[in-house]
Amino acid sequence: MSGQRSAPIGEAGTMVKAVWNGAVIAESDATVKVEGNHYFPASSVRVEYLEDSLHRTVCAWKGEASYYSVVVDGRRNPDAAWYYAEPKALAAHIKDHVAFWHGVRIVG
């Protein structure tokens, strides 16, 4: 199908962590890798480190992204995590998943 982008799934069974300011923010062996970003299942994310953000962006094929700021030990990393609450059909496999950037290290 012309114009559609594939979204490969990460290596099954490979434990991946999102780490910032010495804290493990998320950890899973079931991430979904899209455009180089690991999307962690929401159930694997430590929500005590997340704070809702008003920031939003739009991706042509994934839809509207909402953001979280990551807060660890009093340090705040604005808009360092994002998710698609209602992804478009091509990105349906990342619904209920969270990805990270802005200095959050992905290891594993």
Side-chain angles (χ1 to χ4, degrees):
M1 288 182 255
S2 178
Q4 293 185 357
R5 299 177 187 183
S6 65
I9 297 176
E11 297 273 332
T14 301
M15 188 60 70
V16 181
K17 297 179 185 180
V19 180
W20 187 72
N21 198 30
V24 175
I25 310 303
E27 182 174 15
S28 177
D29 63 356
T31 64
V32 177
K33 196 169 182 183
V34 178
E35 297 181 330
N37 296 303
H38 282 273
Y39 284 77
F40 290 79
S43 61
S44 72
V45 179
R46 297 184 63 188
V47 295
E48 64 267 26
Y49 292 126
L50 303 182
E51 181 180 279
D52 286 327
S53 169
L54 297 177
H55 188 65
R56 303 286 184 269
T57 58
V58 176
C59 172
W61 72 275
K62 290 182 288 222
E64 182 180 75
S66 298
Y67 288 75
Y68 295 114
S69 293
V70 176
V71 182
V72 176
D73 293 333
R75 290 189 58 207
R76 190 169 182 272
N77 189 346
D79 306 326
W82 75 93
Y83 64 97
Y84 293 88
E86 297 295 331
K88 292 185 176 185
L90 286 176
H93 58 293
I94 60 171
K95 183 173 178 61
D96 298 323
H97 285 68
V98 180
F100 299 90
W101 68 335
H102 283 189
V104 176
R105 291 182 306 116
I106 305 301
V107 295

